[in-house]
Amino acid sequence: MRTRPVILHLDLDAFFSAVEQLHKPSLRGKPVVVGGTGRRGVVATASYEARRFGVGSAMSIIEARRRCPNAAYLTPRFHAYRAASRVVMGLLAEVSPLIEQMSVDEAYVDLTPTHPGIDVPGVTELAEEVRRRIREATGLTASVGVGTSKLVAKIGSDLNKPDGLTVVAPGTERQTLAALPVRRLPGIGPATQERLHKFGMHTVGEVAEATEKEIVGILGQAHGTAVHQHARGIDNRELEPERDAKSVSAEETFSRDLTDRRELNEHARRMAERVVGRIAKDGLCARTITIKVRSYDFSTITRSFTLDQPTDSLNKIMSSIRHLLDAVDVSDGIRLLGVGVAGLTDFAQTDLLSDLLAEVGDEPDERRPVSPPVLAAVTGGALEKLPPESEKQPSTKGFGWTAELEETTTGEPDASGVPEWRPGQDVVHTERGPGWVQGAGLGRVTVRFEGPHTGPGPIKTFRADDPDLSLGEPPVW
Ligand code: TTP
Ligand code: MG
């Protein structure tokens, strides 16, 4: 157990939407929702202004639009997020060479190599300095937690979000965690939480007060021991700087051997959700799906399946997993199940909207033609209305999501070769310069001409095939 507060965990605030607000001044202080990708038609993240309406990560876009119809709905621009991420990670690397990057906006730093004897006042100053440098270099706010372990640092960075710092002084770990719900500990998902609730344990403090034997009795040896230690603020995990980013996996050891396929499928689904969440965060798709099955007698097999096309669809990944799992004999009992994805590549842009459509009940595997009207539905009303010529278009069903969807899924593919503009995209106009797509549809595209260093800019509507308009680059940091 470390005695100095040398572990720092940093997580950027509302990361994707914060980048959008920096690049698009007219959206600052407004509700912004980034999504429509990753887990099919779901919110990747919402700005804090949109969260006040109850919009959050992993919610369906349809539900988000119901709760916050006036938000700007934008498709992700992963290249812009990665560029911001590189700047932030570079600043962290100046503090210590020992870094474990967990995702595009999250990393641990171990200060042992550079500040082995640091104390609470010292690390408070250092963490504030790091947050200040990040804000100056990128305009982004970061929340930071500091403590003697990864566990405490990670929980700490969430305690004063957004734009907050929590330093957990050595010796106060257990009391800092005590009042938190058990769910906040690593490795506690809905099933484990449920089991602990059954035994009357709702807070981390209640788990800490139980004996290790009691917790092992409830959760099994390996899991129970770890959870009990974590509840007491004990966590000796080292940083893993060379994380294998080429695959992502999750596994669970069960407290009793499972033979029920339905139960196994449920566990598999929850693990798949975690895995897909992880790759979605980095804008990655996977081609190879793997399961790992350990039987009652510890014999272990792995089986994998390679898809024609990389995907980040939970449905597609889950159907491969079920397929693989169906071929495994489970009758004698399974003690461990793991699911993983590999063959990771950058998100295939062309999949974006077919994925959105698949989410709303179409055949998941079917590639749907995408015509511009769908795109209009993605941008909300926080932005000024489209100019009058667009409003004059016949639209008996309105501009609602469902209406547009029906129109598209029953329509013919758009073979006209007209570019498919997406809300949020960077564009450049030969005379007016750089801007972004605010809305598109019905053969038109509305562009707002502004950038990180301008004030809120004017909008102008063009024909979708206007030769003066082309895809642009994200602004540089
Ligand atoms: P988070 O750090 O979980 O969320 P956040 O930065 O948006 O908000 P917070 O202030 O609470 O930290 O994830 C970082 C980015 O990863 C997020 O901006 C969008 C992306 N992401 C997804 O694409 N899908 C998801 O399910 C989650 C949770 C995040
Ligand atoms: Mg974050």
Side-chain angles (χ1 to χ4, degrees), residues 80-384:
Y81 312 145
R82 285 202 199 101
S85 175
R86 274 195 295 274
V87 174
V88 172
M89 298 303 157
L91 290 169
L92 291 182
E94 289 176 11
V95 177
S96 168
L98 194 45
I99 294 180
E100 179 178 0
Q101 188 176 344
M102 302 303 290
S103 76
V104 73
D105 85 324
E106 184 191 341
Y108 291 100
V109 183
D110 187 339
L111 302 172
T112 307
T114 44
H115 303 84
I118 204 160
D119 58 5
V120 170
V123 84
T124 304
E125 198 178 309
L126 185 126
E128 285 299 12
E129 174 65 20
V130 168
R131 289 175 0 95
R132 192 161 43 241
R133 277 191 220 159
I134 290 172
R135 204 164 45 242
E136 280 166 11
T138 65
L140 296 166
T141 63
S143 293
V144 172
V146 183
T148 53
S149 66
K150 289 169 96 172
L151 168 81
V152 170
K154 164 98 180 170
I155 288 177
S157 71
D158 206 44
L159 287 178
N160 283 312
K161 234 181 195 308
D163 201 11
L165 169 65
T166 307
V167 179
V168 180
T172 67
E173 292 83 0
R174 193 167 156 180
Q175 81 198 53
T176 304
L177 304 179
L180 299 173
V182 289
R183 197 55 206 277
R184 296 285 283 277
L185 293 177
I188 299 204
T192 310
Q193 169 181 260
E194 198 50 44
R195 242 174 284 158
L196 290 169
H197 284 184
K198 267 196 204 135
F199 288 84
M201 287 178 239
H202 292 84
T203 64
V204 174
E206 285 161 350
V207 175
E209 278 157 30
T211 63
E212 183 180 315
K213 209 170 150 213
E214 281 175 275
I215 304 301
V216 165
I218 300 169
L219 301 180
Q221 188 63 51
H223 198 195
T225 310
V227 166
H228 190 248
Q229 292 215 340
H230 290 162
R232 293 171 169 238
I234 302 166
D235 168 29
N236 294 315
R237 284 175 298 161
E238 296 292 336
L239 269 63
E240 294 171 36
E242 304 292 331
R243 273 181 86 83
D244 179 10
K246 292 185 193 74
S247 67
V248 177
S249 61
E251 61 180 50
E252 271 181 42
T253 304
F254 308 119
S255 51
R256 58 189 168 80
D257 296 348
L258 298 183
T259 51
D260 180 3
R261 286 198 179 274
R262 259 194 34 210
E263 224 175 317
L264 283 164
N265 279 331
E266 272 167 33
H267 285 284
R269 184 167 186 94
R270 265 200 302 278
M271 286 186 267
E273 276 168 8
R274 294 215 302 273
V275 166
V276 170
R278 233 343 262 294
I279 63 171
K281 269 179 110 163
D282 291 344
L284 298 173
C285 284
R287 249 192 100 190
T288 303
I289 322 295
T290 305
I291 63 166
K292 170 174 159 188
V293 182
R294 179 166 297 152
S295 300
Y296 72 103
D297 62 355
F298 282 85
S299 61
T300 306
I301 56 161
T302 59
R303 295 280 179 272
S304 37
F305 185 78
T306 298
L307 300 162
D308 292 340
Q309 295 282 334
T311 184
D312 64 349
S313 155
L314 177 63
N315 285 343
K316 282 185 207 171
I317 288 172
M318 202 46 222
S319 77
S320 302
I321 290 171
R322 290 183 78 127
H323 190 71
L324 293 167
L325 203 51
D326 282 347
V328 175
D329 178 12
V330 302
S331 53
D332 286 330
I334 302 302
R335 55 175 293 124
L336 174 148
L337 180 64
V339 309
V341 296
L344 299 178
T345 52
D346 281 1
F347 189 80
Q349 286 291 329
T350 48
D351 261 3
L352 260 172
L353 282 156
S354 58
D355 294 347
L356 279 177
L357 299 177
E359 178 70 13
V360 204
D362 291 312
E363 283 300 314
D365 287 321
E366 204 165 328
R367 289 289 154 83
R368 289 288 181 179
V370 174
S371 68
V374 182
L375 305 171
V378 186
T379 307
L383 314 165
E384 276 82 343

Side-chain angles (χ1 to χ4, degrees), residues 10-16 45 48 51 103 105-106 141 143 161 281:
L10 179 137
D11 190 311
L12 298 168
D13 300 318
F15 180 46
F16 292 4
T45 195
Y48 279 80
R51 291 183 199 192
S103 76
D105 85 324
E106 184 191 341
T141 63
S143 293
K161 234 181 195 308
K281 269 179 110 163

Side-chain angles (χ1 to χ4, degrees), residues 378-460:
V378 186
T379 307
L383 314 165
E384 276 82 343
K385 282 202 157 67
L386 291 175
E389 63 261 39
S390 302
E391 284 172 356
K392 273 191 240 137
Q393 295 294 328
S395 176
T396 49
K397 297 183 211 159
F399 260 80
W401 173 265
T402 329
E404 299 303 342
L405 201 62
E406 280 167 18
E407 197 172 317
T408 308
T409 50
T410 56
E412 293 297 311
D414 180 10
S416 61
V418 175
E420 293 164 357
W421 300 110
R422 301 187 180 106
Q425 262 179 340
D426 295 299
V427 291
V428 59
H429 187 272
T430 47
E431 280 161 28
R432 290 171 171 262
W436 60 278
V437 173
Q438 182 172 294
L442 304 168
R444 287 190 175 73
V445 54
T446 298
V447 177
R448 190 180 278 276
F449 291 98
E450 62 181 7
H453 306 298
T454 72
I459 58 170
K460 187 161 167 52

